[in-house]
Amino acid sequence: MNDTTTTPVTVIGLGLMGQALAGAFLRAGHPTTVWNRTSAKADRLVAEGALRAATVGDAVAAGGLTIICVTDYPAVRELLGASDVALDGATLVNLTSGDSAQARETARWAGERGARYLDGAVMAVPPVIGTADAVILHSGPPAVFEAHASTLGALGTVTHVGEDPGLASLYDVAGLAMMWSVLNAWLQGTALLRTAGVDARTYAPFARQIAAGVAEWLPGYAEQVDSGSFPAEVAALETDVRAMAHLVEESEAAGINAELPRLLKAMADRSVAAGHGKEQYPVLIEEFATPRDA
C-alpha cells in the first residue's frame, strides 16, 4: 500500500452524489480538487476547503486519485477525452452509473490512454457517504485498488469484487434485483392483508422477520446452485407450487393484483413440467438463467 491520509484527490462531477463524495474526502483530511460543468456547484465545497479547477485537465493533473461521477459513460469519455486532459499515468475511479459492457469498454478506453482504471458502484444514497453504511464496490486491477483502498475508504465500506471491470456494475444490478424483489413481495403481502384491515405498520415487523429468515437460507442454497445438485432437504418444489397456488387464489379472491404470484407460479410450473418437482427451490436457477421471449 502506498496510500496515506494526505493523498490528494480530485472529484469530477458535483451532482448530489459528487458533492457527497468530495465532502467525505475533505472531512477525512484529503486535499480535494473539484470540477463541475456548472462551476457554482463547487461553491460550498470551496468554502469548506476544496480547490476549484478551471478545467477538467487541471482537475486530473491535481489529483493523485481522480474520482468521476457524472450523468453517464458517454459523458465520462467526453470530459476525459478532451485534448487538454492528460490521462497517461493518471488513476481513475469511475463511480458513474452504467452497465457492465460500458464499464469494460471504458476500462479499455482509459487503458489505451495510459490510465489506471477502476470501475465502481455506489450502493448508497448521498447522505450516508462517508459512513460505514455507504457500501461502494470496485472492480478492476487488484493492485490499483489495493494502492488506494485507504483513500477510497473515506467514502464508506469499500470492497473489491474482482478484476473484471464490469463486475461492480453487475453486482449493482444484482443488488437492485434483490431490493425490488423484497419490496415487491412486501407490497404484495401488504395489499393482501389490508383487505382484512391489517395496516402496513402492523405487517412490517413480521415481514422483516420473514425476510431475515429467508436470507439465512442463501449460503446453503448457493452451494446447491454452484454444485448443480438440488436435493429436497427442506421442501420439494412441487410443495412450493401448491403454496403459490394458494397465494394466487387468495389474491384473486381479495380483489388485488395477482400478477406477481402468477409469475412466480408460472416459472415454478415450467420447472416442475421439466421434471424438477422433487428437487429443492434453488433448481429454479435454470428458469432465471434461460432467456425467454417477451
Side-chain angles (χ1 to χ4, degrees), residues 10-25:
T10 285
V11 177
I12 295 173
L14 299 176
L16 292 177
M17 184 59 74
Q19 291 186 42
L21 298 172
F25 284 127

Side-chain angles (χ1 to χ4, degrees), residues 2-276:
N2 60 11
D3 210 15
T4 72
T5 57
T6 57
T7 298
V9 298
T10 285
V11 177
I12 295 173
L14 299 176
L16 292 177
M17 184 59 74
Q19 291 186 42
L21 298 172
F25 284 127
L26 282 170
R27 291 191 298 275
H30 294 280
T32 303
T33 299
V34 295
W35 182 91
N36 192 74
R37 202 184 297 272
T38 303
S39 181
K41 287 191 174 182
D43 289 348
R44 179 181 60 80
L45 292 164
V46 170
E48 294 174 359
L51 300 174
R52 189 195 322 255
T55 68
V56 175
D58 291 341
V60 173
L65 182 66
T66 296
I67 313 295
I68 184 162
C69 184
V70 293
T71 306
D72 52 30
Y73 278 73
V76 171
R77 292 207 214 170
E78 176 193 350
L79 292 172
L80 298 181
S83 60
D84 68 328
V85 180
L87 292 184
D88 191 17
T91 300
L92 306 176
V93 179
N94 184 13
L95 297 182
T96 301
S97 294
D99 61 39
S100 59
Q102 291 174 314
R104 294 181 184 113
E105 176 58 21
T106 303
R108 183 197 62 76
W109 179 89
E112 288 175 349
R113 287 155 179 78
R116 295 177 289 272
Y117 180 90
L118 292 173
D119 208 85
V122 181
M123 312 290 286
V125 293
V128 302
I129 296 297
T131 75
D133 291 334
V135 174
I136 303 175
L137 308 179
H138 298 275
S139 54
V144 177
F145 175 77
E146 291 165 7
H148 297 282
S150 177
T151 295
L152 293 170
L155 302 179
T157 301
V158 295
T159 302
H160 184 259
V161 295
E163 188 164 2
D164 174 0
L167 279 175
S169 292
L170 284 176
Y171 268 87
D172 185 20
V173 293
L176 291 174
M178 284 288 297
M179 179 186 75
W180 290 324
S181 296
V182 170
L183 288 174
N184 286 341
W186 175 68
L187 291 170
Q188 180 77 35
T190 298
L192 187 59
L193 285 166
R194 284 174 60 185
T195 66
V198 179
D199 60 20
R201 183 178 299 176
T202 300
Y203 174 49
F206 175 78
R208 183 178 181 180
Q209 184 178 19
I210 292 295
V214 172
E216 292 296 317
W217 303 347
L218 297 183
Y221 279 10
E223 289 183 9
Q224 290 195 344
V225 169
D226 289 342
S227 68
S229 176
F230 309 96
E233 299 167 346
V234 177
L237 181 61
E238 61 188 12
T239 302
D240 289 306
V241 169
R242 289 194 289 272
M244 291 174 185
H246 297 157
L247 176 57
V248 172
E249 292 161 5
E250 284 281 10
S251 298
E252 291 174 340
I256 69 167
N257 191 313
E259 288 176 274
L260 178 59
R262 286 196 204 104
L263 172 62
L264 298 175
K265 186 174 182 298
M267 296 180 75
D269 282 341
R270 287 195 297 267
S271 188
V272 170
H276 301 298

